[in-house]
Amino acid sequence: MSDMEMDNKTLDTEFLVLGFSNQPILQGLFFAVFLSIYLVNLIGNVAILTLVFVNLGLHKPMYFFLSNLAILDICLSSCTLPKMLVLSLRKSKSVPFSECMTQLYLIMAFTSTEFFLLAAMAYDRYAAICSPLHYSMIMNKRVCGVLVASSWMSGFLCVLPHSIWMCLSSFCGHNTIDHFFCDLQTLLKLSCSDTSVIEMLLVTLNMGLATGCFLLILVSYFYIISSILKIRSAEGRRKAFSTCSSHLTVVIIYSITVLLVYVRSRSMNTLPGDKLFGVLYNAVIPMLNPIIYTLRNKEVKSALMKGARRKTVG
């Protein structure tokens, strides 16, 4: 078969996304759990967006970044969970090739964007704690806009080569994805084309950018912690640390999870743990982010309480 014919065959391929269908008895339970996770995710992140929009006290750089993180979390979970819920109700688990490739690109793009955005948020916390007198000048509206726009653009551009290469790959009838979404590592195993270019890009481009973001976050927090330790009063240290503790918590959880997912070797067999980590960064973390920022941030908690009281009085 010629390359042209093989490419045409690939374009007509439908992937079978198994999800959790190997345990049909638990299908109803899985549907209820993931529907609940998705709804909590939507409600929590929409609540954050609404709070920031209507509360003038939250019109600050930190909450501008948090709003973008909320949008990102809604987008990331919406790439996978609605489709997974639909597939769990259908007998047919088939997903068209074009839809699978679109989902793959969006998941990688949103995941990469989150890394860039978390790095930008770390820089914001560094400016707020290490240069409080110059903070409003350093993090003006223009700088915040450039940082956010750069995060989104970089996230979508850096994964474009992988997506294009996967679209041009052949799968030769191997179309069963033992996951609940179109996962890159699983697709690499199914491909009968040469995937060395994608693997090289994963190691050089993606790991390089992720490492760069992580180093920027580490350096920022090195200076943040150094500045906090110089504060004489315990109350002052506690107050300073509370402004960045929620961001630090999100960074640690997100970085460890994504690292465990994408640093897996292609030679490894698909394990149940792969689905677990996929659930964590596609569903659980986006749901936890608004909860973490609400519970660990006094300003967000205060705005939430005021809004609740206003509704009660009304």
Side-chain angles (χ1 to χ4, degrees):
M1 187 180 287
S2 68
D3 288 341
M4 182 71 75
E5 290 171 334
M6 183 64 77
D7 285 343
N8 288 336
K9 180 180 177 182
T10 301
L11 289 171
D12 294 331
T13 299
E14 284 191 335
F15 291 102
L16 298 177
V17 181
L18 297 182
F20 296 99
S21 59
N22 56 344
Q23 300 178 46
I25 299 173
L26 299 175
Q27 281 282 34
L29 177 62
F30 284 135
F31 180 86
V33 168
F34 288 113
L35 178 61
S36 301
I37 288 173
Y38 186 55
L39 291 175
V40 171
N41 173 15
L42 287 180
I43 293 167
N45 283 298
V46 169
I48 290 286
L49 286 170
T50 306
L51 274 177
V52 173
F53 181 75
V54 302
N55 196 302
L56 292 176
L58 299 181
H59 288 190
K60 300 175 184 178
M62 177 181 176
Y63 301 106
F64 175 64
F65 291 115
L66 181 56
S67 298
N68 277 271
L69 184 63
I71 294 168
L72 201 51
D73 285 336
I74 291 170
C75 292
L76 181 57
S77 59
S78 296
C79 283
T80 53
L81 291 183
K83 186 65 181 179
M84 188 198 74
L85 292 170
V86 169
L87 288 175
S88 69
L89 296 176
R90 280 185 1 199
K91 286 186 179 179
S92 171
K93 306 297 179 184
S94 62
V95 176
F97 178 84
S98 58
E99 189 176 327
C100 190
M101 291 298 109
T102 302
Q103 185 187 58
L104 173 68
Y105 173 66
L106 290 175
I107 289 170
M108 292 193 299
F110 291 135
T111 304
S112 301
T113 302
E114 188 138 353
F115 259 118
F116 289 116
L117 191 58
L118 288 172
M121 292 172 80
Y123 177 72
D124 170 67
R125 293 298 83 209
Y126 159 78
I129 292 172
C130 299
S131 303
L133 298 178
H134 302 98
Y135 176 66
S136 58
M137 186 174 64
I138 296 170
M139 298 302 295
N140 56 54
K141 286 185 179 180
R142 183 177 174 277
V143 170
C144 292
V146 168
L147 285 173
V148 166
S150 300
S151 297
W152 283 90
M153 286 177 63
S154 301
F156 274 76
L157 288 175
C158 75
V159 298
L160 195 58
H162 315 62
S163 300
I164 292 172
W165 204 268
M166 285 306 300
C167 288
L168 299 174
S169 296
S170 301
F171 293 91
C172 313
H174 305 294
N175 66 341
T176 302
I177 299 174
D178 189 12
H179 217 300
F180 69 93
F181 62 91
C182 294
D183 174 57
L184 177 62
Q185 295 291 340
T186 309
L187 288 168
L188 286 173
K189 295 171 192 175
L190 295 178
S191 176
C192 55
S193 299
D194 181 14
T195 59
S196 58
V197 173
I198 300 178
E199 291 171 338
M200 182 189 70
L201 286 169
L202 282 172
V203 173
T204 55
L205 180 62
N206 287 72
M207 286 306 296
L209 289 171
T211 304
C213 289
F214 192 65
L215 285 175
L216 177 60
I217 292 168
L218 280 179
V219 170
S220 297
Y221 273 98
F222 172 79
Y223 284 106
I224 287 169
I225 292 168
S226 298
S227 295
I228 290 173
L229 292 176
K230 290 176 184 175
I231 300 172
R232 293 182 179 180
S233 69
E235 178 62 23
R237 287 195 297 269
R238 189 195 61 77
K239 190 176 178 181
F241 186 72
S242 68
T243 64
C244 58
S245 60
S246 50
H247 174 260
L248 187 58
T249 304
V250 170
V251 166
I252 292 169
I253 296 172
Y254 191 78
S255 300
I256 291 173
T257 306
V258 172
L259 195 65
L260 288 171
V261 171
Y262 281 103
V263 178
R264 290 181 288 121
S265 168
R266 183 175 176 252
S267 62
M268 288 174 62
N269 294 321
T270 302
L271 300 170
D274 296 340
K275 291 184 183 180
L276 174 63
F277 288 124
V279 168
L280 277 174
Y281 83 85
N282 274 284
V284 178
I285 292 176
M287 178 189 72
L288 289 178
N289 282 350
I291 297 172
I292 291 169
Y293 273 96
T294 302
L295 293 177
R296 300 184 69 87
N297 188 292
K298 280 189 175 181
E299 286 183 308
V300 174
K301 259 198 292 192
S302 175
L304 198 60
M305 296 284 285
K306 282 178 184 176
R309 277 200 298 269
R310 232 178 264 127
K311 277 194 172 182
T312 306
V313 172

